[in-house]
Amino acid sequence: MQISDLPYPDPGVPDARSGPRFLLWLGRGQLGGQLKSLCWGILHFSGVAGLPYAVGLGVDAVVDRNANRLLLVGALLLLIGVAISVGDSMLHRTAVTNWITAAARVQQLLARKTAELGSALTRRVAAGEVVAVSTGDVEKIGWFVEAVSRFLAAAFAVVLVCIGLLFYAPALGVVVAIGVPLIALASLPLLPRATKRADIQREKAGKATELASDTVAGLRVLRGIGGEELFLGRYREASQEVRKAAVRSARMWALISAIQVLLPGALLITVVWYGATLVVDGRIAVGELVAAFSAVATLLYPLRHFEEIAMAYSFSRPSAKRAARVLSLTRTDAPQRPADAAADADADVTVAAGAGAVEVPAAGGDLYDPRTGLLAPAGRFTAVVCGDPDLAGRLAERLGGHPMDGGKDDGEDHGPSVLLSGVALDELPLDTARTLVLVQDKDPVLLSGTLRELFDVPASGAVEPGAALAAAQCADVLDALLQSAPDGVEDPMDARITERGRSLSGGQRQRLALARSLVTDPEVLVLDEPTSAVDSHTEARIADGVATLRAGRTTVVLASSPLLLDRADRVVLIDGGTVAAVGTHRELLHREPLYRAVVTRETDEEQQERLAGLELTELEEVLTEIEESA
């Protein structure tokens, strides 16, 4: 593949069982590019390896005063020079292509995994690790993939030089054939320690990156409480730890580099000393000594690639391990469906997924969570009340096809998948599940661009952006965008939104995100606290607008606002991870103390006082009835 052909139509399914397996999978996926790079590398290094012999032949021709042979040597040197130049240029071109295409493949895989996991990704992997994998680690992985072909070509050149010397000057060739492997393997005992230090450096760098990300994300809050200096001090300490670890790692690599220079120098001195002795004794010609000297000097160049491949693997192995860990995550545990749920499934369409076909839920089916017992009837507006806000967020993710807790890595039993029309969501392809069930979390993200581009999302087409904006009460948002737009922009849909909507207030961003979700018009829409940042009057109008616009469609809202709950067709109380009560808002207020405490924010003391007042009132009513009857 050429760089111009990127991105890949399909980056493939990676082998994410371990870091080395992932690197091997990447290499197999680029065999064509690696073969091209290897061929050009062999041409280049063959020219480098042949140069000393041509020089030796030239010296012999001069000593023998053979002009014809000297002309032939000149032509040979010209041919070798062309081979070195062309081979080097094309080797660099193909090797860099391998680097970029490998990095691009990893980035596509990470992007696909991020889209698959959504907000569950950062709950299962530290944010700093995700940033490190998608930036520095991608480059290091590409470096190793690129270095493999050059290393193989360099190894070919080294073998070629050693074999050539054995035939051209056997006495010196034996010395070189013994010394070169020792030089190539001399740094191997130091590699584990160098790799360990490099791992420590990357671990500290990942923590520093995570700390920096958290500090930047919470900078506004930190400034409000005067804590920015505290966190900046922590980041300074973390960055100094990274610097110290980097220096320790660099010292070890400097030692390896010194060995790669010292030992070839010692070999060169040995060859010159021994060769001079052989020339004095008349056992070899001067040209053979010059050829052997030039060959050993030339070997310094390909031997550098032995050090480079060791460094590339040392740096890329932990990077590949981190990438494989992220890529091995799945959006669910994919538990087995219960036999009764499979038997009662109401579906009439199938799509290909993996090895076989899976059923697509029929339109108008109920959404049911076997773990919590939550049932959202088809076409109804269901509100869910959870005393624990974190539980509400995890439940929203589960309703969208993700596990309720961190994922399969936490070792817990997550129970059967959420069922839509009796079909398990986690058995559906991701794009199909997202089309059927859309989850908007508490902190939705607005991408930069025009408002028209914001609403350019996969949708059924049944809901126009204007209707969605009206239902989400976005009139003031449109006015604000139009006022801040450049001159000449008359349509609010052409007004631009800054990165993450930072120019808008929290309530405005929340309403725009709600309107975007309404435009998609999914079969099931799950909203997690969609009005937490708006005032009560706006919240009441939003509740009416959403209920009207989503009439006949299944809507689940996780909230504790009485204004939203009062407009729901059905309210479900979740306590302890399971359904505790079901009814309308007013019914649950009268008969469920826990529901009333969550919705009205009633404390235990207030509840006891109110119950005591109710008991006294009831007692007075009984006494009155007795007196009247007497």
Side-chain angles (χ1 to χ4, degrees), residues 117-121 123 369 372 374 384-406 418 438-443 526-530 556-560 574 577:
L117 295 177
S119 61
L121 175 62
R123 291 205 300 269
D369 179 15
T372 61
L374 172 63
V384 180
V385 176
C386 297
D388 181 3
D390 293 334
L391 175 62
R394 296 197 302 272
L395 178 58
E397 289 292 336
R398 177 170 170 79
L399 294 177
H402 295 286
M404 191 167 177
D405 298 293
V418 171
L438 175 66
V439 178
Q440 177 181 304
D441 59 19
K442 295 179 182 178
D443 188 21
V526 180
L527 304 172
D528 185 9
E529 295 287 357
V556 180
V557 177
L558 292 97
S560 58
I574 302 291

Side-chain angles (χ1 to χ4, degrees), residues 466-490:
L469 288 167
Q473 300 299 308
C474 293
D476 64 315
V477 183
L478 300 180
D479 293 339
L481 289 174
L482 200 55
Q483 290 176 3
S484 61
D487 295 338
V489 177
E490 299 180 356

